[in-house]
């Protein structure tokens, strides 16, 4: 009895296997998949493709699926997931198959799998129920696409967007994200909390507005031009006026840049800063500057008037003392001559100081106008040397003009003479038993005049004080060498008035060189 039952059981199993194989053959025929089509599928599709029956038995697969299991199609056919992967994963695959068959339509899932070679991948699987001609469910077609890289990219983009959002929201300044519309200009697509707060609009109300609704300092034409510059890669910096919801306005400083977001269109990112306080400070400084300039003009006008008034009596004192010294009214004894000479000398010195103040006042008041003419600097320098030689000899100095080249210049004769005489006088004043050398040459489009002395020189820290009015670099110099401290300041202002510049090189105790650069041709003012 027992052997007979066992024989029958084995026969039933064999019949079932034969029946299953017959059904599989019929299923393949019903799908009308020719060998050529299967071969093309294997060769051309980079995704995993497989076909299972209702019981989860593999009927066919492609090359990528063979790689996944590390087996050939012949080894895979007739087996299930349980023959290749662990129970948990096989249960997961089987459950997704059942869901697809129950839904009667394609279903999509994401599944982490480990290939036979050990590497892991995230698959996006689409499982589609298969039906025969009669509409009977006969199996599931599966397609798996590796989305590992895509997911990593998406995760990176998500993290970057989160970082951007955090920076965007937490920025101390207010910021907007704009999109350009050819008909409306820049449209606000997002704003941070600071922008919402300072403008007084709720976020949902400010989004969708044209930027010109809140930026009253620009118009559509300006924005169109800005768009061209931004999309060409430029970063724009400008100032404009914004309007709050309550109608009040405030000045802002804007930085705008076009930013390409992966997978999205180009946006315009603006960071903006309220510069109300800065503008108020600038206005205060402007008012203070205007007040100072006004006061300076009043001072200059006062000094000019007073200097003019003082010159008249001084000229009389100098003139009449000269007449007395000539003894035209009568003879003088030696003491009287001595006293008159002191009066005349003091008067001349005081007149010189007043003339300096008057010159400076006129320059600062804008009342000095150059008289332009063609000049030969060589001739002017020769005249000045003849004029200054007696004074130099009194100090035991020699004075020479080394340049013999004629340098022609179109400028103001009187002012050039005044500048050079002042510099030569200074050189003689601070040089004893030494030499003063003058050189003149052309350098590009300028005439270069150098006055070099072997005098006391200037300390490095005192050079910056030289051209300031009413300043002498050393207190003992002020006592030893009388002067107003205006000479170099007047020289500098006159040189600049003529379109030139002045510089100095000096070594304390060894001498100085003053260099004047004047344009060969100066436009008439």
């Amino acid at each position: 009895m027992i052997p007979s039952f066992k024989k029958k059981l084995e026969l039933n199993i064999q019949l079932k296997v034969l029946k299953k194989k017959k059904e599989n053959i019929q299923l393949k025929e019903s799908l009308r998949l020719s060998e050529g089509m299967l071969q093309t599928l294997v060769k051309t599709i980079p995704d995993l493709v497989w076909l299972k029956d209702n019981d989860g038995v593999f009927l066919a697969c492609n090359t990528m699926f063979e790689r996944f299991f590390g087996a050939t199609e012949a080894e895979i056919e007739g087996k299930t997931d349980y023959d290749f992967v662990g129970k948990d994963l096989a249960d997961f695959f089987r459950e997704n198959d059942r869901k697809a068959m129950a839904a009667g339509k394609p279903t999509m899932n994401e599944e982490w799998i480990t290939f036979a070679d050990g590497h892991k991948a995230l698959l996006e699987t689409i499982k589609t129920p298969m039906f025969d001609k009669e509409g009977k469910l006969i199996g599931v077609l599966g397609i798996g696409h590796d989305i590992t890289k895509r997911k990593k990219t998406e995760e990176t983009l998500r993290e970057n967007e989160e970082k951007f959002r955090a920076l965007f929201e937490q920025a101390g300044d207010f910021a907007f994200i704009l999109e350009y519309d050819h008909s409306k200009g820049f449209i606000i697509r997002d704003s941070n909390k600071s922008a919402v707060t300072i403008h007084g609009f709720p976020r949902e109300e400010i989004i969708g507005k044209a930027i010109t609704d809140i930026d009253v300092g620009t118009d559509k034409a300006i924005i169109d031009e800005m768009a061209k510059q931004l999309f060409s890669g430029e970063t724009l910096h400008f100032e404009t006026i914004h309007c709050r919801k309550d109608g009040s306005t405030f000045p802002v400083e804007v930085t705008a840049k076009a930013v390409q977001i992966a997978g999205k269109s180009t946006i315009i990112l603006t960071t903006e800063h309220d510069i109300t306080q800065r503008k108020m400070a600038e206005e205060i400084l402007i008012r203070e500057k205007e007040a100072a300039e006004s006061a300076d003009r009043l001072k200059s006008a006062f000094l000019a008037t007073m200097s003019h008034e003082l010159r008249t009596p001084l000229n009389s004192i100098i003139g009449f003392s000269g007449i007395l010294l000539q003894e035209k009214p009568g003879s003088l004894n030696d003491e009287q001559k001595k006293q008159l000479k002191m009066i005349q000398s003091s008067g001349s010195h005081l007149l010189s100081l007043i003339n300096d103040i008057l010159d400076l006042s006129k320059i600062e008041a804008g009342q000095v106008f150059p008289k332009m003419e063609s000049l030969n600097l060589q001739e002017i320098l020769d005249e000045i040397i003849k004029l200054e030689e007696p004074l130099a000899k009194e100090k035991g100095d020699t004075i020479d003009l080394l340049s013999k080249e004629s340098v022609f210049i179109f400028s103001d004769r009187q002012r050039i003479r005044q500048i050079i005489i002042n510099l030569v006088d200074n050189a003689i004043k601070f040089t004893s038993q030494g030499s003063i050398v003058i050189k003149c040459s052309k350098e590009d489009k300028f005439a270069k005049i150098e006055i070099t002395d072997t005098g006391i020189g200037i300390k490095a820290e005192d050079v910056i004080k030289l051209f300031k009015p009413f300043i002498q670099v050393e207190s003992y110099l002020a006592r030893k060498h009388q002067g107003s401290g205006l000479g170099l300041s007047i020289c500098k202002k006159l040189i600049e008035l003529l379109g030139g510049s002045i510089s100095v090189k000096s070594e304390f105790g060894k001498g100085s060189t003053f260099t004047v650069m004047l344009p060969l041709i100066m436009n008439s003012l």
Side-chain angles (χ1 to χ4, degrees), residues 426-428 430-432 434-437 451-460 463 466 503-514:
N426 260 8
I428 294 170
F430 295 104
T431 304
S432 295
S435 64
I436 294 94
V437 174
I451 296 102
T452 301
D453 65 63
T454 58
I456 61 175
I458 307 161
K459 292 180 180 178
V463 170
L466 281 179
S503 60
V504 60
K505 289 183 180 180
S506 184
E507 187 174 351
F508 187 64
K510 292 188 177 181
S512 307
T513 296
F514 285 80

Side-chain angles (χ1 to χ4, degrees), residues 343-362:
I343 292 172
Q344 191 178 49
S345 175
S346 297
S348 296
H349 176 64
L350 185 55
L351 182 60
S352 175
L353 297 180
I354 291 172
N355 284 336
D356 284 347
I357 294 172
L358 185 60
D359 278 345
L360 183 64
S361 300
K362 283 182 177 180

Side-chain angles (χ1 to χ4, degrees), residues 165-207:
R165 171 56 60 180
L167 291 172
F168 183 68
E169 286 296 344
Q170 295 173 12
D173 292 335
F174 58 95
F176 292 107
I177 293 176
L178 311 175
E179 286 185 0
Y180 180 66
D181 182 279
H182 287 285
S183 61
K184 297 180 181 178
F186 291 130
I187 307 299
I188 300 172
R189 294 305 180 201
D190 204 353
S191 63
N192 66 356
K193 293 178 182 177
S194 296
V196 169
T197 301
I198 198 168
H199 288 89
F201 291 97
R203 189 189 295 269
E204 60 272 13
E205 189 174 337
I206 205 170
I207 292 174

Side-chain angles (χ1 to χ4, degrees), residues 371-401:
K371 297 177 182 178
M372 314 306 295
E373 59 181 307
S374 181
L375 308 170
N376 185 341
L377 282 181
Q378 178 75 28
E379 293 178 357
I380 294 174
L381 295 175
D382 281 333
E383 292 173 6
I384 291 172
I385 286 180
K386 290 177 182 177
L387 180 68
E388 296 288 339
E389 273 181 337
L391 181 60
K393 286 180 180 179
E394 286 183 14
K395 296 289 297 291
D397 298 331
T398 61
I399 182 167
D400 296 292
L401 176 63

Side-chain angles (χ1 to χ4, degrees), residues 426 429-430 462 465-466 468-486:
N426 260 8
K429 181 190 298 185
F430 295 104
D462 289 329
K465 305 175 186 177
L466 281 179
K468 294 182 180 180
F470 302 105
I471 291 177
Q472 286 190 333
V473 296
E474 294 283 2
S475 58
Y476 78 88
L477 292 178
R479 291 191 298 268
K480 187 176 180 181
H481 304 280
Q482 293 184 353
S484 62
L486 291 175

Side-chain angles (χ1 to χ4, degrees), residues 185-436:
F186 291 130
I187 307 299
I188 300 172
R189 294 305 180 201
D190 204 353
S191 63
N192 66 356
K193 293 178 182 177
S194 296
V196 169
T197 301
I198 198 168
H199 288 89
F201 291 97
R203 189 189 295 269
E204 60 272 13
E205 189 174 337
I206 205 170
I207 292 174
K209 285 182 176 292
I211 194 66
T212 48
D213 291 338
I214 62 171
D215 183 351
V216 296
T218 56
D219 57 25
K220 179 64 167 53
I222 294 174
I223 285 174
D224 288 342
E225 182 58 33
M226 286 182 177
K228 291 179 184 177
Q229 295 174 318
L230 288 167
F231 291 132
S232 68
E234 292 185 43
T235 298
L236 302 184
H237 305 278
F238 59 94
E239 293 182 7
T240 185
I241 303 294
H242 274 210
C243 180
R244 299 185 182 90
K245 187 175 183 179
D246 62 10
S248 59
T249 60
F250 60 101
V252 296
E253 186 176 62
V254 182
T255 299
K257 184 175 180 60
V259 180
Q260 178 68 46
I261 303 298
K264 299 181 181 179
S265 60
T266 300
I267 63 169
I268 306 300
L269 176 64
T270 71
T271 53
E272 312 189 14
H273 179 65
D274 182 352
I275 56 173
T276 303
Q277 296 299 321
R278 193 186 83 191
K279 285 294 183 182
M280 290 175 63
E282 287 176 356
E283 288 178 5
I284 291 172
L285 286 174
I286 289 171
R287 287 197 296 268
E288 289 178 348
K289 182 175 180 290
E290 289 175 348
E293 288 175 348
S294 176
D296 195 51
R297 285 192 296 270
L298 288 173
K299 177 209 71 176
S300 296
F302 171 77
L303 288 174
T305 302
M306 290 303 297
S307 299
H308 180 74
E309 293 298 322
L310 288 170
R311 288 172 73 181
T312 301
L314 276 173
N315 281 327
S316 296
I317 293 171
I318 295 167
F320 283 117
S321 61
I323 292 171
L324 290 173
L325 282 170
Q326 292 174 16
E327 299 184 292
K328 289 183 180 180
S331 299
L332 298 173
N333 59 42
D334 291 341
E335 184 60 29
Q336 289 172 329
K337 289 180 181 180
K338 179 182 176 182
Q339 297 294 336
L340 282 171
K341 285 180 180 179
M342 291 173 62
I343 292 172
Q344 191 178 49
S345 175
S346 297
S348 296
H349 176 64
L350 185 55
L351 182 60
S352 175
L353 297 180
I354 291 172
N355 284 336
D356 284 347
I357 294 172
L358 185 60
D359 278 345
L360 183 64
S361 300
K362 283 182 177 180
I363 295 169
E364 291 181 343
Q367 296 176 0
V368 176
F369 305 100
K371 297 177 182 178
M372 314 306 295
E373 59 181 307
S374 181
L375 308 170
N376 185 341
L377 282 181
Q378 178 75 28
E379 293 178 357
I380 294 174
L381 295 175
D382 281 333
E383 292 173 6
I384 291 172
I385 286 180
K386 290 177 182 177
L387 180 68
E388 296 288 339
E389 273 181 337
L391 181 60
K393 286 180 180 179
E394 286 183 14
K395 296 289 297 291
D397 298 331
T398 61
I399 182 167
D400 296 292
L401 176 63
L402 294 189
S403 305
K404 302 302 179 183
E405 175 190 1
S406 293
V407 177
F408 291 92
I409 185 170
F410 187 72
S411 193
D412 186 316
R413 176 186 292 271
Q414 178 187 346
R415 296 306 174 185
I416 288 177
R417 278 177 54 84
Q418 184 178 354
I419 292 164
I420 304 303
I421 288 172
N422 202 320
L423 292 174
V424 172
D425 280 347
N426 260 8
I428 294 170
K429 181 190 298 185
F430 295 104
T431 304
S432 295
Q433 304 297 317
S435 64
I436 294 94

